[in-house]
Amino acid sequence: MTKLQSPARLLAWLVVLAMIAAACSGGDSSESGGSDDASGDFLSADQTVTTMAAEENLAEDGAESPQSEATDSDTGDTLGSGGVAPPLVQTAADLGRDIIFTATMTVAVDDVAASSTEATQRIQSLGGFLFGQQTTGDPEPRSTLVFKVFPDDFQEALDRLGSIGELRSQNVSADDVTERVVDIQSRITTAEASVERLRAFLDGATDIDAIADLENQLLQRETQLETLRGQLRTLEDAISLATITLTVTENSVRPAVRVDVTAYSGTDDDGLSCPGRRDLAVDQGTDVTVCFEIFNVGDTDLTGFTLRDPVIDVAEEDLIPVFGDMDQVLEPGESIVMAAHIAADRSWRTQTNVTALPVDEDGNVRDGRSVANTSTISISAVDPGGVPGFGDGLERSFELLVMLLQMLVYLVAAVIPFFWIPLGIWWLFRRGSRTGGKSAQPDSSDTPVEREPESDDTSASVDASGD
């Protein structure tokens, strides 16, 4: 019995090992299939399903799958400067997806008008056309062109447009609208069926109210149907033709200049200590060095610099070269330093203005264009003060004496017009005193005098004289 059980037990172990080996081989195959599917991660879930179905159909026909084509061409050129890979356009078309391709580009050129014409000719040679254009001239020439091309020519169009000048920016996008198209088509089918039913009901209606209600509903359904058809046509047009918006700008259209003004006390080193301070305070009468550092902060070479400051009376002939020269060609990012000497006899608030002319690559000045910048700083002249000496005291005393004499002169000049008033008062007072003394004087004799009786003749004479 033991002999019979040993072969049976051995056979059972062999069956178990065979099942384990089969399970492991199945797991390996599933893992390898998962790694193959990872190459299509850039597609959505619907796109992955469609891709698998397409691979099965192509496998039955003995053709290569779209993914294998994309893998073979991964080493090819990309759209423009690293946009969407070229196989994406072909794969989307092969898979039956409805995708809207759009792109925006900015290219810098030397001649905006000539480059715009060249871009249009390059697109027309591909079978595309110019859909819209907007152009502006000086001081910043710019042209915006909208092109329509077939999706199959999308990559070639980007390559041709990007090579007309220096590519500054590029943005490429692909919008999968398959679900929207399917949804609109389904709604159109439903709306068409509804319209047909309403028309059948309208043909069989006899009541006036029912006819009016059916006509109103039919009008609404037909309006909705035409709206859906318009949305579908818009999507189909966007799908059938890719859109490229190209902006053409001049290669050097942003010249700019800046001047920084500083100052420090002293004039012995002719500006070698530049830069100084923006807010400087010195003793009154001190010699000061003013520093002017001119920067090219644009993207164009500059020349023909001029510098003026009417506040501190500094002109070009007063400038001392410290680093560079006012007549040199200053490249973007470079600077020159100039200096000037002034005497701080009073406080200043400078108004320094600098101008420059932009030049092209050949060194020719661009006509009708110049750049300017203004900067200000404060230079304060302070009275040194200190303990006054004998000379300072004598000078201040003399100034005080002069001030007192001036005040006296002013006082006399103010009193003279009214001098007759006290004289008149004094004269009236003297006259009144004399008149009062005479009326109050007593008789010289104290002896009473007998008066004789008056006669009638005297009275008569007095009366006659009164008449």
Side-chain angles (χ1 to χ4, degrees), residues 446-454:
D446 295 334
T447 305
V449 178
E450 293 182 1
R451 300 179 62 183
E452 296 179 359
E454 296 179 354

Side-chain angles (χ1 to χ4, degrees), residues 51-69 94-95:
T51 304
M52 295 174 64
E55 288 180 351
E56 294 176 358
N57 295 332
L58 291 174
E60 293 177 357
D61 297 337
E64 293 182 352
S65 66
Q67 289 186 358
S68 64
E69 294 178 0
D94 295 340
L95 295 178

Side-chain angles (χ1 to χ4, degrees), residues 213-255:
D213 184 55
L214 289 172
E215 287 181 346
N216 187 23
Q217 294 185 27
L218 180 61
L219 178 61
Q220 294 178 1
R221 299 295 174 84
E222 288 178 342
T223 302
Q224 182 182 5
L225 178 60
E226 292 302 321
T227 302
L228 293 173
R229 287 174 176 172
Q231 294 177 359
L232 182 60
R233 285 193 299 268
T234 301
L235 283 176
E236 290 175 344
D237 292 342
I239 294 168
S240 61
L241 291 174
T243 303
I244 302 176
T245 302
L246 174 67
T247 301
V248 183
T249 61
E250 197 172 47
N251 194 21
S252 298
V253 296
R254 295 179 179 87

Side-chain angles (χ1 to χ4, degrees), residues 134-450:
Q134 182 180 2
T135 303
T136 57
D138 289 335
E140 295 186 2
R142 176 184 295 266
S143 182
T144 303
L145 304 97
V146 181
F147 295 108
K148 296 286 186 177
V149 298
F150 294 108
D152 294 340
D153 300 326
F154 189 60
Q155 172 204 349
E156 180 64 22
L158 291 177
D159 292 339
R160 293 189 179 187
L161 294 177
S163 62
I164 65 173
E166 180 184 351
L167 184 62
R168 295 287 179 86
S169 65
Q170 176 176 294
N171 184 17
V172 181
S173 63
D175 185 14
D176 189 348
V177 294
T178 306
E179 294 182 0
R180 292 175 57 189
V181 172
V182 172
D183 178 65
I184 292 176
Q185 289 176 343
S186 176
R187 294 169 63 184
I188 289 176
T189 302
T190 303
E192 289 176 346
S194 178
V195 168
E196 292 298 329
R197 286 196 300 270
L198 287 174
R199 287 177 179 174
F201 291 153
L202 184 60
D203 292 339
T206 57
D207 184 65
I208 296 178
D209 293 338
I211 292 174
D213 184 55
L214 289 172
E215 287 181 346
N216 187 23
Q217 294 185 27
L218 180 61
L219 178 61
Q220 294 178 1
R221 299 295 174 84
E222 288 178 342
T223 302
Q224 182 182 5
L225 178 60
E226 292 302 321
T227 302
L228 293 173
R229 287 174 176 172
Q231 294 177 359
L232 182 60
R233 285 193 299 268
T234 301
L235 283 176
E236 290 175 344
D237 292 342
I239 294 168
S240 61
L241 291 174
T243 303
I244 302 176
T245 302
L246 174 67
T247 301
V248 183
T249 61
E250 197 172 47
N251 194 21
S252 298
V253 296
R254 295 179 179 87
V257 66
R258 188 184 82 235
V259 57
D260 289 348
V261 184
T262 57
Y264 63 90
S265 177
T267 58
D268 297 335
D269 57 356
D270 290 336
L272 295 179
S273 298
C274 290
R277 301 176 57 184
R278 292 191 57 83
D279 295 322
L280 180 67
V282 296
D283 293 340
Q284 192 172 14
T286 304
D287 291 334
V288 173
T289 299
V290 184
C291 308
F292 307 98
E293 189 169 5
I294 303 172
F295 296 88
N296 184 351
V297 294
D299 58 0
T300 306
D301 294 347
L302 299 177
T303 190
F305 296 94
T306 60
L307 188 145
R308 295 287 186 274
D309 195 320
V311 176
I312 58 177
D313 194 20
V314 171
E316 186 174 352
E317 56 271 14
D318 302 322
L319 298 177
I320 303 172
V322 179
F323 179 78
D325 188 80
M326 296 288 284
D327 296 328
Q328 75 177 70
V329 176
L330 197 63
E331 297 181 357
E334 295 183 345
S335 65
I336 58 177
V337 180
M338 311 298 290
H341 297 161
I342 64 171
D345 52 358
R346 62 184 180 89
S347 297
W348 307 92
R349 182 71 177 176
T350 66
Q351 291 288 336
T352 305
N353 177 263
V354 63
T355 60
L357 299 174
V359 296
D360 55 21
E361 296 179 355
D362 298 329
N364 299 321
V365 177
R366 297 180 182 272
D367 295 336
R369 304 188 65 181
S370 63
V371 290
N373 182 248
T374 301
S375 179
T376 64
I377 65 169
S378 297
I379 301 176
S380 302
V382 183
D383 188 354
V387 179
F390 176 78
D392 295 333
L394 184 61
E395 182 180 359
R396 296 295 176 84
S397 300
F398 180 74
E399 292 177 355
L400 180 60
L401 180 61
V402 171
M403 184 178 63
L404 292 175
L405 291 176
Q406 290 177 348
M407 293 178 62
L408 181 60
V409 172
Y410 293 151
L411 181 61
V412 171
V415 170
I416 286 177
F418 304 97
F419 189 68
W420 61 272
I421 295 177
L423 291 178
I425 295 174
W426 177 77
W427 182 77
L428 290 175
F429 178 77
R430 293 292 301 273
R431 183 178 180 184
S433 299
R434 293 176 181 177
T435 305
K438 291 181 179 180
S439 59
Q441 186 177 1
D443 293 338
S444 58
S445 176
D446 295 334
T447 305
V449 178
E450 293 182 1

